[in-house]
Coordinates of all heavy atoms in Angstrom, one line a residue:
M222 N 69.8 -17.7 103.6 CA 69.7 -18.4 104.8 C 68.7 -17.6 105.7 O 69.0 -16.5 106.0 CB 71.0 -18.6 105.5 CG 71.0 -19.2 106.8 SD 72.6 -19.5 107.6 CE 73.8 -18.7 106.6
S223 N 67.6 -18.2 106.1 CA 66.7 -17.6 107.0 C 67.0 -17.8 108.4 O 67.8 -18.7 108.8 CB 65.3 -18.0 106.7 OG 65.1 -19.4 107.1
S224 N 66.4 -17.1 109.3 CA 66.7 -17.3 110.8 C 66.2 -18.7 111.2 O 66.8 -19.3 112.1 CB 65.9 -16.3 111.6 OG 66.4 -15.0 111.3
Q225 N 65.2 -19.3 110.6 CA 64.8 -20.6 110.9 C 65.8 -21.7 110.5 O 66.0 -22.7 111.2 CB 63.4 -21.0 110.3 CG 62.3 -20.2 110.9 CD 62.0 -18.9 110.1 OE1 62.5 -18.7 109.0 NE2 61.2 -18.1 110.6
E226 N 66.5 -21.4 109.5 CA 67.5 -22.4 109.0 C 68.8 -22.3 109.8 O 69.6 -23.2 109.8 CB 67.9 -22.1 107.5 CG 66.7 -22.3 106.6 CD 67.1 -21.8 105.2 OE1 68.0 -21.0 105.0 OE2 66.3 -22.2 104.2
N227 N 69.0 -21.3 110.5 CA 70.3 -21.0 111.3 C 69.9 -20.9 112.7 O 69.3 -20.0 113.2 CB 70.9 -19.8 110.8 CG 72.3 -19.6 111.4 OD1 72.7 -20.3 112.3 ND2 73.0 -18.6 110.8
D228 N 70.4 -21.9 113.6 CA 70.1 -21.8 115.0 C 71.0 -20.8 115.7 O 70.8 -20.6 116.9 CB 70.4 -23.2 115.6 CG 69.4 -24.3 115.1 OD1 68.3 -23.9 114.7 OD2 69.8 -25.4 115.1
F229 N 71.9 -20.2 115.1 CA 72.8 -19.3 115.7 C 72.3 -17.9 115.4 O 72.4 -17.3 114.4 CB 74.2 -19.4 115.0 CG 75.3 -18.6 115.6 CD1 75.5 -18.6 117.0 CD2 76.1 -17.8 114.8 CE1 76.5 -17.8 117.5 CE2 77.1 -17.0 115.4 CZ 77.3 -17.0 116.7
E230 N 71.6 -17.3 116.5 CA 71.0 -16.0 116.4 C 71.4 -15.1 117.5 O 71.8 -15.6 118.6 CB 69.4 -16.1 116.4 CG 68.9 -16.9 115.3 CD 67.4 -17.1 115.3 OE1 66.8 -16.7 116.3 OE2 66.8 -17.6 114.4
D231 N 71.3 -13.8 117.3 CA 71.7 -12.9 118.4 C 70.4 -12.6 119.2 O 69.3 -13.2 119.0 CB 72.3 -11.6 117.9 CG 71.4 -10.7 117.1 OD1 70.2 -11.1 116.9 OD2 71.8 -9.6 116.7
A232 N 70.5 -11.7 120.2 CA 69.4 -11.5 121.2 C 68.1 -11.0 120.5 O 67.0 -11.3 121.0 CB 69.8 -10.5 122.2
D233 N 68.2 -10.2 119.4 CA 67.0 -9.7 118.8 C 66.5 -10.7 117.7 O 65.6 -10.3 116.9 CB 67.2 -8.3 118.3 CG 68.1 -8.2 117.1 OD1 68.7 -9.2 116.7 OD2 68.3 -7.1 116.5
G234 N 67.0 -11.9 117.6 CA 66.5 -12.8 116.6 C 67.2 -12.8 115.2 O 66.8 -13.5 114.3
S235 N 68.2 -11.9 115.0 CA 68.9 -11.8 113.8 C 69.8 -12.9 113.6 O 70.5 -13.3 114.5 CB 69.6 -10.5 113.7 OG 68.8 -9.4 113.8
A236 N 69.9 -13.5 112.4 CA 70.8 -14.6 112.1 C 72.2 -14.1 112.3 O 72.5 -13.0 111.9 CB 70.5 -15.1 110.7
M237 N 73.0 -14.9 112.8 CA 74.5 -14.6 113.0 C 75.3 -15.5 112.2 O 74.9 -16.6 111.8 CB 74.8 -14.7 114.5 CG 74.1 -13.8 115.5 SD 74.4 -12.1 115.3 CE 76.1 -12.0 116.0
I238 N 76.5 -15.1 111.9 CA 77.5 -15.9 111.2 C 78.9 -15.7 111.8 O 79.1 -14.6 112.4 CB 77.5 -15.5 109.7 CG1 78.2 -16.6 108.9 CG2 78.0 -14.1 109.4 CD1 77.9 -16.6 107.4
R239 N 79.7 -16.7 111.7 CA 81.1 -16.6 112.2 C 82.0 -16.5 111.0 O 81.9 -17.3 110.0 CB 81.4 -17.8 113.0 CG 80.6 -17.9 114.3 CD 81.0 -19.2 115.0 NE 80.1 -19.4 116.2 CZ 79.2 -20.4 116.3 NH1 79.1 -21.3 115.3 NH2 78.5 -20.5 117.4
L240 N 83.0 -15.6 111.0 CA 84.0 -15.6 110.0 C 85.3 -16.0 110.7 O 85.7 -15.5 111.7 CB 84.2 -14.2 109.5 CG 82.9 -13.5 108.8 CD1 83.2 -12.2 108.3 CD2 82.4 -14.4 107.8
N241 N 86.0 -17.0 110.1 CA 87.3 -17.5 110.6 C 88.5 -17.0 109.8 O 88.5 -17.2 108.6 CB 87.2 -19.0 110.7 CG 86.1 -19.5 111.6 OD1 86.1 -19.1 112.8 ND2 85.2 -20.3 111.1
S242 N 89.5 -16.5 110.5 CA 90.6 -16.0 109.8 C 91.6 -17.1 109.4 O 91.5 -18.3 109.8 CB 91.3 -15.0 110.7 OG 91.9 -15.6 111.8
Q243 N 92.7 -16.7 108.8 CA 93.8 -17.6 108.5 C 94.4 -18.3 109.7 O 94.7 -19.5 109.6 CB 94.9 -16.7 107.8 CG 96.1 -17.4 107.3 CD 97.0 -16.4 106.6 OE1 97.2 -15.3 107.1 NE2 97.6 -16.8 105.5
E244 N 94.4 -17.6 110.8 CA 94.9 -18.2 112.1 C 93.8 -18.9 112.9 O 94.0 -19.2 114.0 CB 95.6 -17.1 113.0 CG 96.7 -16.4 112.3 CD 96.4 -15.2 111.5 OE1 95.2 -14.8 111.4 OE2 97.3 -14.6 110.9
E245 N 92.6 -19.1 112.3 CA 91.5 -19.7 112.9 C 90.9 -18.9 114.0 O 90.1 -19.4 114.8 CB 91.8 -21.1 113.4 CG 92.2 -22.1 112.3 CD 91.1 -22.4 111.3 OE1 89.9 -22.4 111.8 OE2 91.4 -22.5 110.1
E246 N 91.1 -17.6 114.1 CA 90.4 -16.7 115.0 C 89.0 -16.5 114.5 O 88.8 -16.3 113.3 CB 91.2 -15.4 115.2 CG 90.6 -14.6 116.3 CD 91.4 -13.3 116.6 OE1 92.6 -13.2 116.2 OE2 90.9 -12.5 117.4
E247 N 88.1 -16.5 115.4 CA 86.7 -16.4 115.0 C 86.1 -15.1 115.3 O 86.3 -14.5 116.4 CB 85.9 -17.5 115.8 CG 84.5 -17.8 115.3 CD 83.9 -19.0 116.0 OE1 83.4 -18.8 117.2 OE2 84.0 -20.1 115.4
F248 N 85.3 -14.5 114.4 CA 84.6 -13.2 114.6 C 83.1 -13.4 114.3 O 82.8 -14.0 113.3 CB 85.2 -12.2 113.6 CG 86.7 -12.0 113.8 CD1 87.6 -12.7 113.1 CD2 87.1 -11.0 114.7 CE1 89.0 -12.5 113.3 CE2 88.5 -10.8 114.8 CZ 89.4 -11.5 114.1
E249 N 82.3 -12.9 115.2 CA 80.8 -13.1 115.0 C 80.2 -11.7 114.6 O 80.6 -10.7 115.1 CB 80.2 -13.6 116.3 CG 80.6 -14.9 116.7 CD 80.0 -15.3 118.1 OE1 79.3 -14.5 118.7 OE2 80.2 -16.4 118.5
L250 N 79.3 -11.8 113.7 CA 78.5 -10.6 113.3 C 77.2 -11.1 112.7 O 77.0 -12.3 112.4 CB 79.3 -9.7 112.4 CG 79.6 -10.2 111.0 CD1 79.9 -9.0 110.1 CD2 80.8 -11.1 110.9
T251 N 76.3 -10.1 112.6 CA 75.0 -10.5 112.0 C 75.2 -10.9 110.5 O 76.0 -10.3 109.9 CB 73.9 -9.4 112.1 OG1 74.4 -8.3 111.4 CG2 73.7 -9.0 113.6
L252 N 74.3 -11.7 110.1 CA 74.3 -12.1 108.7 C 74.1 -10.9 107.8 O 74.7 -10.8 106.7 CB 73.3 -13.2 108.4 CG 73.3 -13.8 107.0 CD1 74.6 -14.5 106.7 CD2 72.2 -14.9 107.0
A253 N 73.2 -10.0 108.2 CA 72.9 -8.9 107.4 C 74.1 -8.0 107.2 O 74.4 -7.5 106.1 CB 71.7 -8.1 108.0
A254 N 74.9 -7.8 108.3 CA 76.1 -7.0 108.2 C 77.1 -7.7 107.4 O 77.8 -7.1 106.6 CB 76.7 -6.7 109.6
A255 N 77.3 -9.0 107.5 CA 78.3 -9.8 106.8 C 78.0 -9.7 105.3 O 78.9 -9.7 104.5 CB 78.3 -11.2 107.2
K256 N 76.7 -9.6 104.9 CA 76.3 -9.6 103.5 C 76.7 -8.3 102.8 O 76.6 -8.2 101.6 CB 74.9 -9.9 103.3 CG 74.5 -11.3 103.5 CD 73.0 -11.6 103.2 CE 72.7 -13.1 103.3 NZ 71.3 -13.3 103.0
L257 N 77.2 -7.3 103.5 CA 77.8 -6.1 102.9 C 79.0 -6.5 102.1 O 79.4 -5.8 101.2 CB 78.1 -5.0 103.9 CG 76.9 -4.4 104.6 CD1 77.4 -3.4 105.7 CD2 76.1 -3.6 103.6
S258 N 79.7 -7.6 102.5 CA 80.9 -8.0 101.8 C 80.5 -9.0 100.6 O 79.8 -10.0 100.8 CB 81.8 -8.8 102.8 OG 82.7 -9.6 102.1
E259 N 80.9 -8.7 99.4 CA 80.7 -9.5 98.3 C 81.3 -10.9 98.5 O 80.7 -11.9 98.1 CB 81.2 -8.9 97.0 CG 80.9 -9.6 95.8 CD 81.3 -8.9 94.5 OE1 81.5 -7.7 94.6 OE2 81.4 -9.6 93.5
L260 N 82.5 -11.0 99.1 CA 83.1 -12.3 99.3 C 82.2 -13.1 100.2 O 82.0 -14.3 99.9 CB 84.5 -12.1 99.9 CG 85.2 -13.4 100.4 CD1 85.6 -14.2 99.2 CD2 86.4 -13.0 101.2
V261 N 81.7 -12.6 101.3 CA 80.9 -13.3 102.2 C 79.6 -13.7 101.5 O 79.1 -14.9 101.6 CB 80.6 -12.5 103.5 CG1 79.5 -13.2 104.3 CG2 81.8 -12.3 104.3
R262 N 78.9 -12.8 100.8 CA 77.7 -13.2 100.0 C 77.9 -14.3 99.1 O 77.0 -15.2 99.0 CB 77.2 -12.0 99.2 CG 76.4 -11.0 100.0 CD 75.6 -10.0 99.1 NE 76.4 -9.5 98.0 CZ 77.1 -8.3 98.0 NH1 77.2 -7.6 99.1 NH2 77.8 -7.9 96.9
E263 N 79.0 -14.4 98.4 CA 79.3 -15.5 97.5 C 79.7 -16.8 98.2 O 79.5 -17.8 97.6 CB 80.4 -15.1 96.5 CG 80.0 -14.0 95.6 CD 81.1 -13.5 94.7 OE1 82.3 -13.9 94.9 OE2 80.9 -12.6 93.8
S264 N 80.1 -16.7 99.4 CA 80.6 -17.9 100.2 C 79.5 -18.5 101.0 O 79.6 -19.6 101.5 CB 81.7 -17.5 101.1 OG 82.8 -17.0 100.3
I265 N 78.4 -17.8 101.2 CA 77.3 -18.3 102.1 C 76.6 -19.5 101.5 O 76.2 -19.4 100.3 CB 76.3 -17.2 102.5 CG1 77.0 -16.1 103.3 CG2 75.1 -17.7 103.2 CD1 76.1 -14.9 103.6
E266 N 76.5 -20.5 102.3 CA 75.7 -21.7 101.9 C 74.5 -21.8 102.8 O 74.5 -21.2 103.9 CB 76.5 -23.0 102.0 CG 77.7 -22.9 101.0 CD 78.6 -24.2 101.1 OE1 78.2 -25.1 101.9 OE2 79.6 -24.2 100.6
D267 N 73.4 -22.4 102.4 CA 72.2 -22.4 103.2 C 72.3 -23.0 104.6 O 71.7 -22.6 105.5 CB 71.1 -23.3 102.4 CG 70.6 -22.5 101.2 OD1 70.7 -21.2 101.2 OD2 70.0 -23.1 100.3
D268 N 73.2 -24.0 104.8 CA 73.2 -24.6 106.0 C 74.5 -24.3 106.8 O 74.9 -25.0 107.8 CB 73.2 -26.1 105.8 CG 74.3 -26.7 105.0 OD1 75.0 -25.9 104.3 OD2 74.5 -27.9 104.9
T269 N 75.1 -23.2 106.6 CA 76.4 -22.9 107.3 C 76.2 -21.7 108.2 O 75.4 -20.8 107.9 CB 77.5 -22.6 106.3 OG1 78.7 -22.5 107.0 CG2 77.3 -21.3 105.5
D270 N 76.9 -21.7 109.3 CA 76.9 -20.6 110.2 C 78.3 -20.1 110.4 O 78.6 -19.3 111.3 CB 76.3 -20.9 111.6 CG 77.0 -21.9 112.3 OD1 77.9 -22.5 111.8 OD2 76.6 -22.2 113.5
S271 N 79.3 -20.6 109.6 CA 80.7 -20.3 109.7 C 81.3 -20.3 108.3 O 81.0 -21.2 107.5 CB 81.4 -21.3 110.6 OG 82.7 -21.0 110.7
I272 N 82.2 -19.3 108.1 CA 82.9 -19.2 106.8 C 84.4 -19.1 107.1 O 84.8 -18.2 107.9 CB 82.4 -18.0 105.9 CG1 81.0 -18.2 105.6 CG2 83.3 -17.9 104.7 CD1 80.4 -17.0 104.8
H273 N 85.2 -19.9 106.5 CA 86.6 -19.8 106.7 C 87.2 -19.0 105.6 O 87.0 -19.3 104.4 CB 87.3 -21.2 106.6 CG 86.9 -22.1 107.8 ND1 87.5 -22.0 109.0 CD2 85.9 -23.0 107.9 CE1 86.9 -22.8 109.8 NE2 85.9 -23.5 109.2
I274 N 87.9 -17.9 106.0 CA 88.5 -17.0 105.0 C 90.0 -17.2 105.2 O 90.6 -16.4 105.9 CB 88.0 -15.5 105.2 CG1 86.5 -15.5 105.2 CG2 88.6 -14.6 104.2 CD1 85.9 -14.1 105.5
I275 N 90.5 -18.2 104.5 CA 91.9 -18.6 104.8 C 93.0 -17.7 104.3 O 94.1 -17.9 104.8 CB 92.1 -20.0 104.2 CG1 91.8 -20.0 102.7 CG2 91.1 -21.0 104.8 CD1 92.1 -21.3 102.0
R276 N 92.7 -16.8 103.5 CA 93.8 -15.9 103.0 C 93.8 -14.5 103.6 O 94.5 -13.6 103.2 CB 93.6 -15.7 101.5 CG 93.7 -17.1 100.7 CD 93.9 -17.0 99.3 NE 95.3 -16.7 99.0 CZ 95.7 -16.3 97.9 NH1 94.9 -16.2 96.8 NH2 97.0 -16.1 97.7
V277 N 93.0 -14.4 104.7 CA 93.0 -13.1 105.4 C 93.4 -13.3 106.9 O 92.9 -14.2 107.6 CB 91.5 -12.6 105.4 CG1 91.4 -11.2 106.2 CG2 91.1 -12.4 104.0
S278 N 94.4 -12.5 107.3 CA 94.9 -12.6 108.7 C 93.9 -12.1 109.7 O 92.9 -11.4 109.3 CB 96.2 -11.7 108.8 OG 95.8 -10.3 108.7
S279 N 94.1 -12.4 110.9 CA 93.2 -12.0 112.0 C 93.1 -10.5 112.1 O 92.1 -9.9 112.3 CB 93.6 -12.6 113.3 OG 93.5 -14.0 113.3
D280 N 94.3 -9.8 112.1 CA 94.3 -8.4 112.2 C 93.5 -7.7 111.1 O 92.7 -6.8 111.4 CB 95.8 -7.9 112.1 CG 96.6 -8.2 113.3 OD1 96.0 -8.5 114.4 OD2 97.8 -8.2 113.2
C281 N 93.6 -8.2 109.9 CA 92.8 -7.6 108.8 C 91.4 -7.9 108.9 O 90.5 -7.0 108.8 CB 93.4 -8.1 107.5 SG 92.6 -7.4 106.0
L282 N 91.0 -9.2 109.2 CA 89.6 -9.6 109.3 C 89.0 -8.8 110.5 O 87.8 -8.4 110.4 CB 89.5 -11.1 109.5 CG 88.1 -11.6 109.4 CD1 87.4 -11.2 108.1 CD2 88.1 -13.2 109.6
R283 N 89.7 -8.6 111.6 CA 89.1 -7.8 112.7 C 88.7 -6.4 112.2 O 87.6 -5.9 112.6 CB 90.2 -7.7 113.8 CG 89.7 -6.9 115.0 CD 90.8 -6.9 116.1 NE 91.1 -8.3 116.6 CZ 92.2 -9.0 116.3 NH1 93.2 -8.4 115.6 NH2 92.4 -10.2 116.7
K284 N 89.5 -5.8 111.4 CA 89.1 -4.4 110.9 C 88.0 -4.5 109.9 O 87.1 -3.6 109.9 CB 90.4 -3.8 110.2 CG 91.4 -3.5 111.2 CD 92.7 -2.9 110.5 CE 93.7 -2.7 111.6 NZ 95.0 -2.2 111.0
V285 N 87.9 -5.5 109.1 CA 86.8 -5.7 108.1 C 85.5 -5.9 108.9 O 84.5 -5.3 108.5 CB 87.1 -6.9 107.2 CG1 85.9 -7.3 106.4 CG2 88.3 -6.6 106.3
V286 N 85.5 -6.8 109.9 CA 84.3 -7.0 110.7 C 83.9 -5.7 111.4 O 82.7 -5.4 111.4 CB 84.6 -8.2 111.7 CG1 83.4 -8.3 112.7 CG2 84.7 -9.5 111.0
A287 N 84.8 -5.0 111.9 CA 84.4 -3.7 112.5 C 83.8 -2.8 111.5 O 82.7 -2.1 111.8 CB 85.6 -3.0 113.2
Y288 N 84.3 -2.7 110.3 CA 83.8 -1.9 109.2 C 82.3 -2.4 108.9 O 81.4 -1.6 108.8 CB 84.7 -2.0 108.0 CG 84.2 -1.4 106.8 CD1 84.5 0.0 106.5 CD2 83.4 -2.1 105.9 CE1 84.0 0.6 105.3 CE2 82.9 -1.5 104.7 CZ 83.2 -0.1 104.5 OH 82.7 0.5 103.3
L289 N 82.2 -3.7 108.7 CA 80.9 -4.2 108.3 C 79.8 -3.9 109.4 O 78.7 -3.6 109.1 CB 81.0 -5.7 108.1 CG 81.8 -6.2 106.9 CD1 82.0 -7.7 106.9 CD2 81.2 -5.7 105.6
K290 N 80.2 -4.1 110.7 CA 79.3 -3.8 111.8 C 78.9 -2.3 111.8 O 77.7 -2.0 112.0 CB 79.9 -4.2 113.1 CG 79.9 -5.7 113.4 CD 80.6 -6.0 114.7 CE 80.6 -7.5 115.0 NZ 81.2 -7.8 116.3
K291 N 79.8 -1.5 111.6 CA 79.6 0.0 111.7 C 78.7 0.4 110.5 O 77.7 1.1 110.8 CB 80.9 0.8 111.6 CG 80.6 2.3 111.6 CD 81.9 3.1 111.6 CE 81.5 4.6 111.5 NZ 82.7 5.4 111.7
Y292 N 79.0 0.0 109.3 CA 78.3 0.5 108.2 C 77.0 -0.3 107.9 O 76.2 0.1 107.1 CB 79.2 0.6 106.9 CG 80.1 1.8 107.1 CD1 81.4 1.6 107.3 CD2 79.6 3.1 107.1 CE1 82.3 2.6 107.5 CE2 80.5 4.1 107.2 CZ 81.8 3.9 107.5 OH 82.7 5.0 107.7
H293 N 76.7 -1.3 108.6 CA 75.4 -2.0 108.6 C 74.5 -1.1 109.4 O 73.3 -0.9 109.0 CB 75.5 -3.4 109.1 CG 74.1 -4.0 109.3 ND1 73.3 -4.3 108.3 CD2 73.5 -4.4 110.4 CE1 72.2 -4.8 108.7 NE2 72.3 -4.9 110.0
K294 N 74.9 -0.6 110.6 CA 74.1 0.2 111.4 C 73.9 1.6 110.9 O 72.9 2.3 111.1 CB 74.6 0.2 112.8 CG 74.6 -1.1 113.5 CD 75.2 -1.0 114.9 CE 75.2 -2.4 115.6 NZ 75.9 -2.4 116.8
Q295 N 75.0 2.2 110.3 CA 75.0 3.5 109.9 C 75.5 3.5 108.5 O 76.7 3.6 108.2 CB 76.0 4.3 110.8 CG 76.3 5.7 110.4 CD 77.4 6.3 111.2 OE1 77.8 5.7 112.2 NE2 77.9 7.4 110.8
P296 N 74.6 3.5 107.5 CA 75.0 3.4 106.1 C 76.0 4.6 105.7 O 75.9 5.7 106.2 CB 73.7 3.5 105.3 CG 72.6 3.1 106.3 CD 73.2 3.5 107.6
M297 N 76.9 4.2 104.7 CA 77.8 5.2 104.3 C 77.1 6.3 103.5 O 76.1 6.1 102.9 CB 78.8 4.5 103.3 CG 79.8 3.6 104.0 SD 80.9 2.9 102.8 CE 79.9 1.5 102.2
K298 N 77.7 7.5 103.6 CA 77.2 8.7 102.9 C 77.8 8.7 101.5 O 79.0 8.4 101.4 CB 77.5 9.9 103.7 CG 76.8 10.0 105.0 CD 77.2 11.3 105.7 CE 76.6 11.3 107.1 NZ 77.0 12.4 107.9
D299 N 77.1 9.1 100.5 CA 77.6 9.3 99.2 C 78.6 10.5 99.2 O 78.4 11.5 99.9 CB 76.5 9.6 98.2 CG 75.7 8.4 97.9 OD1 76.2 7.2 98.1 OD2 74.5 8.6 97.4
I300 N 79.7 10.3 98.5 CA 80.7 11.3 98.3 C 80.4 12.0 97.0 O 80.4 11.4 95.9 CB 82.1 10.8 98.3 CG1 82.4 10.1 99.7 CG2 83.1 11.8 98.1 CD1 83.7 9.3 99.8
S301 N 80.2 13.3 97.0 CA 79.8 14.0 95.8 C 81.1 14.2 95.0 O 82.2 14.4 95.5 CB 79.2 15.4 96.1 OG 80.1 16.2 96.8
T302 N 80.9 14.2 93.7 CA 82.1 14.3 92.8 C 82.2 15.8 92.5 O 81.3 16.6 92.4 CB 81.8 13.6 91.4 OG1 80.6 14.1 90.8 CG2 81.7 12.1 91.6
P303 N 83.5 16.3 92.5 CA 83.7 17.7 92.3 C 83.3 18.2 90.9 O 83.0 19.4 90.7 CB 85.2 17.9 92.5 CG 85.8 16.6 92.3 CD 84.7 15.6 92.7
L304 N 83.2 17.3 90.0 CA 82.9 17.8 88.6 C 81.4 17.7 88.4 O 80.9 18.2 87.3 CB 83.6 16.8 87.6 CG 85.1 16.8 87.6 CD1 85.6 15.8 86.7 CD2 85.6 18.2 87.3
G305 N 80.6 17.2 89.3 CA 79.1 17.1 89.1 C 78.7 16.1 88.1 O 77.5 16.0 87.8
A306 N 79.5 15.2 87.7 CA 79.1 14.1 86.8 C 79.9 12.8 87.2 O 80.9 12.9 87.9 CB 79.4 14.4 85.4
N307 N 79.4 11.7 86.7 CA 80.0 10.4 87.0 C 81.1 9.9 86.0 O 81.7 8.9 86.3 CB 79.0 9.3 87.2 CG 78.1 9.6 88.5 OD1 78.6 10.2 89.5 ND2 76.9 9.2 88.4
S308 N 81.2 10.6 84.9 CA 82.1 10.2 83.9 C 82.7 11.4 83.2 O 82.1 12.5 83.2 CB 81.5 9.2 82.9 OG 80.6 9.9 82.1
F309 N 83.8 11.3 82.5 CA 84.4 12.4 81.8 C 83.6 12.8 80.6 O 83.6 13.9 80.1 CB 85.9 12.0 81.4 CG 86.8 12.1 82.5 CD1 87.4 10.9 83.0 CD2 87.1 13.2 83.2 CE1 88.3 10.9 84.0 CE2 88.0 13.3 84.3 CZ 88.6 12.1 84.7
E310 N 82.9 11.8 80.0 CA 82.0 12.1 78.8 C 80.9 13.1 79.2 O 80.5 13.9 78.3 CB 81.4 10.8 78.3 CG 82.4 9.9 77.6 CD 83.1 9.0 78.6 OE1 82.6 8.7 79.7 OE2 84.3 8.6 78.3
E311 N 80.5 13.1 80.4 CA 79.4 14.0 80.8 C 79.9 15.4 81.2 O 79.1 16.3 81.4 CB 78.7 13.4 82.0 CG 78.0 12.1 81.7 CD 77.4 11.4 82.9 OE1 77.1 12.1 83.9 OE2 77.1 10.2 82.9
V312 N 81.2 15.6 81.3 CA 81.7 16.9 81.8 C 81.8 17.8 80.6 O 82.2 17.6 79.5 CB 83.1 16.7 82.4 CG1 83.7 18.0 82.8 CG2 83.0 15.8 83.6

């Protein structure tokens, strides 16, 4: 979905999306931040600016949205493995 296809934009022109919880509480965030979630990526349709996530409570979705907003602005750091390899076969 491009910014032109979505009339719902934030102040800097980034496309925005609304996520609705089980209790119908609405949370807004940028589309780019929302796409960090595989569930949201798979649920996005070209002409939608809102996604209903019916199996997630407001409390849980509030935490997820905060996580997505934070790690969109500040990417997560890689955690090094103590063994120096990614699998047991390489150790």
Side-chain angles (χ1 to χ4, degrees):
M222 172 177 10
S223 71
S224 294
Q225 289 93 13
E226 294 171 344
N227 186 352
D228 293 333
F229 185 53
E230 297 179 353
D231 69 359
D233 71 355
S235 300
M237 300 291 286
I238 193 158
R239 296 179 185 111
L240 303 180
N241 297 304
S242 69
Q243 184 177 39
E244 298 88 2
E245 295 297 323
E246 187 172 348
E247 191 172 82
F248 300 89
E249 296 178 356
L250 67 160
T251 64
L252 184 59
K256 284 184 175 181
L257 290 175
S258 164
E259 186 175 339
L260 175 68
V261 173
R262 277 195 314 270
E263 292 174 354
S264 301
I265 293 174
E266 297 176 8
D267 287 338
D268 60 348
T269 189
D270 64 356
S271 179
I272 297 175
H273 294 277
I274 304 177
I275 58 174
R276 299 191 83 189
V277 178
S278 70
S279 293
D280 289 339
C281 182
L282 190 55
R283 183 176 296 108
K284 292 176 183 177
V285 169
V286 168
Y288 174 91
L289 294 172
K290 286 179 177 180
K291 177 179 179 173
Y292 287 107
H293 170 65
K294 292 178 184 174
Q295 173 188 349
M297 289 181 275
K298 296 177 184 174
D299 287 336
I300 299 172
S301 62
T302 58
L304 300 175
N307 292 329
S308 69
F309 287 114
E310 290 83 27
E311 297 175 20
V312 176

